[in-house]
Amino acid sequence: MKKIMNAPDAFVAESLEGLVRAHEGLVTFGAGRTFIRRRDLAPGKVAVISGGGAGHEPLHSGFVGRGMLDAACTGHVFTSPTPDQIVAAMDETDTGAGCLLVVKNYDGDVMNFEMAAEMAASRHAIDTVIVEDDAATGPSLRSRGRRGIAGTVVVEKILGAAAEQGSNLAALKTLGDDLNRRIRSMGVALRGTTVPENARETFSLGPDEMEIGVGIHGEPGLERTRFAGANEIIRLLGERILAEFPSDVAEGGTARPLLIVNGFGGTPPIELYLAQGIAHRFFENHGVVPARTLTGTFVTSLDMAGLSITLALLDEVQFKLWCAPVATPCLSW
Amino acid sequence: MKKIMNAPDAFVAESLEGLVRAHEGLVTFGAGRTFIRRRDLAPGKVAVISGGGAGHEPLHSGFVGRGMLDAACTGHVFTSPTPDQIVAAMDETDTGAGCLLVVKNYDGDVMNFEMAAEMAASRHAIDTVIVEDDAATGPSLRSRGRRGIAGTVVVEKILGAAAEQGSNLAALKTLGDDLNRRIRSMGVALRGTTVPENARETFSLGPDEMEIGVGIHGEPGLERTRFAGANEIIRLLGERILAEFPSDVAEGGTARPLLIVNGFGGTPPIELYLAQGIAHRFFENHGVVPARTLTGTFVTSLDMAGLSITLALLDEVQFKLWCAPVATPCLSW
C-alpha cells in the first residue's frame, strides 16, 4: 500500500489540516478540530450539516462554504463520525433557525446522526434527510433502502442553496425528500483500494474483471462481470439508473436533467470526460437531454479506479438552486 | 490495462468529444475537429494557443476559455500535435493581434510548434514561450533545458489573463519568459501508467519503491528510492525546488508565492490535501509563505499515481493576473 501519507492514524487529520490551510478564507476547524465549518456563518439561516467516514473526499469537507454546507463531520476512513462530533457541529453552527442533517444511507451514519439528534434535541430544532440514490441497491434488497453515493453532492448543493435563500427547516426537509426520489446513481469499479488502517485491499479484481453497482466503501457490487468497453459500461449503468426512478418521476417529464460523471479517486479526467460524452449520448437517445453536466472527482473511495453516473431529474426550482452561486473549497461557480 | 475506453484509437477523440459536449457554452471544436477553441473569441486580443500530447488532461483542452487559452491542439497520447493542427488553430483564432504559442519543453512539441510558426509566419504575427519548470531536469543535464510540467498551468493562466487585459504580443513574450524563471516544479510517482496504444506500462515500481523527479510521459525520474512518508517526500521535492530557482529570483523577495499540489491522475483528493498541508508548512519553514494555493488534478500522466509540487514566486502584477477571473471547463473562479 503506497499512499501520500505519514502514518495511518494521522492520515485523515493531516488531510483535513491541508484543506483548511488551503482554503482559510472559506472554512475553519470547529471546536476541538472535530469538524470543519464555514468561516462566516449566516445568522438566521438553517445550518446544513453533513458528514461521514473519511475516504470520500472532497465529500463532505470540501463542500463546506457559502451556498452548500455549514459544517462537515469526518470519521476515520469508511467509519461514521461520532455523535459527539455531530452535536458539536450543531452547537457551533445553529444560528437560530435550526439544523438540517444530510446523511448518506449507511447503518453507522444513520445511527450516529440519529443519536446526535436525540442528544441535541433540547437545544436545537433538527430535521434529517437521508440520501438514497444508489440504483444498485433497491429498497427490496435492504431493509434500510438504497445506499447514498455520488447523488449526495446534488442533495447537499441544492439544500445548501435553498437554505442560503432563506428556506426554513420544514421546507428543506420536504425538498430533500423530494430530491431523493429524483436522483439515481450507479458505479463501476476497475480496481479496489486499500484502507490505510488495516492495509487490507477492499476487494481484488482480475485483469479482465469489473465490479458493477459497487459502493464507495469497497462493498460488493451487484455483479462481477467481464471487463467491457465504455459504451457497454455506460449502457449497463444507464439502463439500471433509468429503470430505478419512481414511475411518476420517470414519466412526469424531465424538465431539467443534471448528469454527473464522478471519478472514484483513481480515474483521470481523460477517462471521465470520455464517459461524460458517452453517457450524454446514451441518455439523449433515451429521451433525457441533460440540461447541465458535472464531470470530475467528487465522491471517492480513496483511490479506487472507476466511476459512477448520476442522473438527477430536477424540476425548474431545483435546477435553479443547483445553478445558484456556490463557494466551497471543491465546488464553486 | 483497464481504462474507461472503447478502442485505443478512439480514446483521445471520444474524450475531447465529451469535454466539448459538457462545456458547450465555453468551447467548441475548431475546423476538422483538430483542435478545441474558445467559443466566443475576443476580437483584437492576442490568441494564446497551446497543445501537446493527450494523456495530460485537463491540460490543455480543459483550460480553453475566457482568461486562459484561445485554442488547444491535442495529439495522440504522449505525442505532439502536428504542425497542421497548430496552423489551423492560429488561422481560426487570430483576430488581428497575433498568436502566442505556449509550448512545454519536449523535443517533439518544440519542433512541431516551430514548424507551425514557420508555416504560418506570412499570415500571423507569432511568438513562442517555452515552459521549463521541472526542477528535476536542469539545463546542465539536457541540451534543451528543463521539461515543462505542472507549472504550465501557471504560465497559461497568467498569460491568458494578461492577453485578456490587452497585453500585446511582445509584452506577453516578455512576461512568459520571466515566468519561466519564477516557477519550479517536481514530481514523485508511486505507480506508473499504461499507454492505451501499445498497452505497455511506462515503468514498473516495486511495492516499496517510488520514482523521484518523474516526468509526465513516464520518463525516468532523477532517482528511484525506497518509498517514504509524506513529510520525507515533500522535503525531497521542496528542497530541490527551492535550490533550482535562479539566485536573483530566490533572493529577490518572495512577494506573492503560489503553491500548487497537482495529482498525476491516480491520486485522490485526500492525499493531495495532505500533501498541500505539509508542503505549505515546509515552505513556510523556509521563509516562503504561500499567498495562494491550488490543489487538484491539473496536469496528469493518464492514471499515474503520484503528484507534483509547483512553487511560483510571482511578483505583484503576476499574482493579480493569477487571481483574475477565468472561465474554462476545468479552471474557473
Side-chain angles (χ1 to χ4, degrees):
Chain A
M1 173 191 56
K2 288 189 286 188
K3 292 182 192 295
I4 304 289
M5 172 172 82
N6 285 308
D9 60 3
F11 185 47
V12 177
E14 289 191 340
S15 180
L16 293 176
E17 167 80 28
L19 179 83
V20 170
R21 294 217 70 172
H23 302 281
E24 284 175 334
L26 294 171
V27 298
T28 184
F29 276 113
R33 301 197 154 219
T34 57
F35 60 95
I36 285 179
R37 52 161 276 203
R38 180 169 160 171
R39 176 170 285 279
D40 302 309
L41 298 176
K45 185 186 88 70
V46 172
V48 183
I49 298 170
S50 190
H56 307 306
E57 288 70 16
L59 185 79
H60 306 268
S61 48
F63 301 141
V64 174
R66 278 195 306 283
M68 210 159 167
L69 299 180
D70 292 274
C73 309
T74 304
H76 295 291
V77 171
F78 299 165
T79 304
S80 173
T82 64
D84 285 349
Q85 289 177 268
I86 302 159
V87 169
M90 287 193 271
D91 286 348
E92 198 166 314
T93 61
D94 183 355
T95 58
C99 303
L100 185 75
L101 308 180
V102 180
V103 187
K104 300 195 298 304
N105 191 28
Y106 298 97
D107 287 352
D109 286 350
V110 170
M111 191 176 71
N112 285 7
F113 274 87
E114 264 175 14
M115 205 178 299
E118 281 168 28
M119 289 161 65
S122 63
R123 297 193 298 283
H124 303 283
I126 303 168
D127 223 328
T128 301
V129 170
I130 309 281
V131 183
E132 306 177 83
D133 61 312
D134 189 350
T137 53
S140 56
L141 293 176
R142 310 213 161 195
S143 58
R144 306 206 63 141
R146 303 175 186 280
R147 296 184 293 217
I149 56 173
T152 309
V153 175
V154 186
V155 177
E156 294 184 352
K157 168 67 180 79
I158 291 180
L159 289 175
E164 200 75 33
Q165 295 178 10
S167 287
N168 66 24
L169 194 53
L172 292 173
K173 166 68 175 163
T174 303
L175 174 58
D177 288 345
D178 185 49
L179 284 172
N180 255 324
R181 311 177 66 251
R182 294 172 173 273
I183 306 172
R184 291 294 176 266
S185 306
M186 195 155 130
V188 59
L190 313 190
R191 188 187 68 232
T193 184
T194 304
V195 177
E197 280 83 352
N198 59 19
R200 220 172 281 156
E201 224 184 345
T202 52
F203 55 83
S204 177
L205 289 169
D208 285 324
E209 290 178 324
M210 63 180 177
E211 188 84 25
I212 292 276
V214 74
I216 55 175
H217 307 87
E219 305 96 321
L222 209 57
E223 55 173 339
R224 184 164 299 191
T225 64
R226 198 176 161 76
F227 182 63
N231 286 344
E232 174 64 6
I233 289 175
I234 298 300
R235 190 188 62 76
L236 283 168
L237 302 183
E239 286 183 350
R240 177 92 180 201
I241 285 170
L242 289 174
E244 293 291 319
F245 284 99
S247 56
D248 63 313
V249 171
E251 292 156 15
T254 54
R256 298 300 242 165
L258 163 68
L259 170 60
I260 300 180
V261 173
N262 169 62
F264 281 140
T267 294
I270 191 169
E271 297 179 46
L272 299 179
Y273 272 111
L274 185 143
Q276 174 65 255
I278 293 169
H280 204 288
R281 211 161 47 223
F282 173 87
F283 288 116
E284 267 184 359
N285 290 342
H286 286 75
V288 180
V289 183
R292 188 111 167 190
T293 67
L294 184 70
T295 313
T297 298
F298 305 102
V299 178
T300 59
S301 183
L302 294 170
D303 63 348
M304 184 164 81
L307 55 76
S308 60
I309 305 289
T310 295
L311 185 66
L313 301 176
L314 305 177
D315 68 24
E316 196 62 45
V317 170
Q318 293 161 350
F319 184 74
K320 280 193 182 135
L321 290 167
W322 172 262
C323 297
V326 58
T328 71
C330 300
L331 199 73
S332 67
W333 55 65
Chain B
M1 174 191 57
K2 287 188 287 188
K3 293 183 192 295
I4 303 291
M5 173 172 81
N6 285 308
D9 60 2
F11 185 46
V12 177
E14 289 191 341
S15 180
L16 293 176
E17 167 81 27
L19 179 82
V20 169
R21 295 217 68 176
H23 301 281
E24 284 175 336
L26 295 170
V27 299
T28 184
F29 276 112
R33 301 197 154 217
T34 57
F35 60 96
I36 285 178
R37 51 161 276 205
R38 180 169 160 171
R39 175 170 285 279
D40 302 310
L41 298 176
K45 186 187 87 69
V46 173
V48 183
I49 298 170
S50 190
H56 308 305
E57 288 70 15
L59 186 79
H60 304 269
S61 49
F63 301 142
V64 174
R66 280 194 306 282
M68 210 159 167
L69 300 178
D70 292 275
C73 308
T74 304
H76 295 291
V77 170
F78 298 166
T79 304
S80 173
T82 65
D84 284 350
Q85 288 176 269
I86 302 159
V87 169
M90 288 193 272
D91 286 347
E92 199 166 314
T93 61
D94 182 356
T95 57
C99 303
L100 185 75
L101 308 180
V102 181
V103 187
K104 299 194 299 305
N105 191 27
Y106 298 97
D107 288 352
D109 286 349
V110 170
M111 191 175 71
N112 285 8
F113 274 88
E114 263 175 14
M115 205 178 298
E118 281 168 27
M119 289 161 65
S122 63
R123 297 193 298 284
H124 303 284
I126 303 167
D127 223 327
T128 301
V129 171
I130 309 280
V131 183
E132 306 177 84
D133 61 313
D134 189 350
T137 53
S140 56
L141 293 175
R142 308 213 162 193
S143 58
R144 305 207 65 141
R146 302 176 188 279
R147 297 184 292 218
I149 54 173
T152 309
V153 176
V154 186
V155 177
E156 293 184 353
K157 169 67 181 81
I158 290 179
L159 289 175
E164 200 76 34
Q165 294 178 12
S167 288
N168 66 24
L169 194 53
L172 291 173
K173 165 69 174 162
T174 303
L175 174 59
D177 287 346
D178 185 49
L179 285 172
N180 255 325
R181 310 177 66 251
R182 294 172 173 272
I183 306 171
R184 292 293 176 267
S185 306
M186 194 155 131
V188 59
L190 312 190
R191 188 188 69 231
T193 184
T194 303
V195 176
E197 279 82 352
N198 59 20
R200 219 172 282 155
E201 223 185 346
T202 53
F203 56 83
S204 178
L205 290 169
D208 285 323
E209 291 179 324
M210 62 180 177
E211 188 84 26
I212 292 276
V214 74
I216 54 175
H217 307 89
E219 306 94 322
L222 209 59
E223 55 173 341
R224 183 163 301 193
T225 64
R226 198 175 161 76
F227 181 64
N231 286 342
E232 174 65 7
I233 289 175
I234 299 299
R235 189 188 63 75
L236 283 168
L237 303 182
E239 286 182 350
R240 177 94 179 199
I241 285 169
L242 288 174
E244 294 291 320
F245 283 101
S247 56
D248 64 314
V249 171
E251 291 156 16
T254 54
R256 298 300 242 166
L258 163 68
L259 170 60
I260 300 180
V261 173
N262 169 62
F264 281 140
T267 294
I270 191 169
E271 296 179 46
L272 299 179
Y273 272 110
L274 186 144
Q276 174 64 256
I278 293 171
H280 204 288
R281 213 161 47 222
F282 172 88
F283 287 117
E284 267 184 0
N285 291 342
H286 287 75
V288 179
V289 183
R292 189 113 168 186
T293 66
L294 184 70
T295 313
T297 298
F298 305 102
V299 178
T300 58
S301 183
L302 296 171
D303 64 347
M304 184 164 80
L307 55 75
S308 60
I309 304 289
T310 295
L311 185 67
L313 301 176
L314 305 177
D315 69 23
E316 196 61 46
V317 170
Q318 293 161 350
F319 184 74
K320 280 194 181 134
L321 290 167
W322 172 261
C323 297
V326 58
T328 72
C330 300
L331 199 72
S332 68
W333 53 66

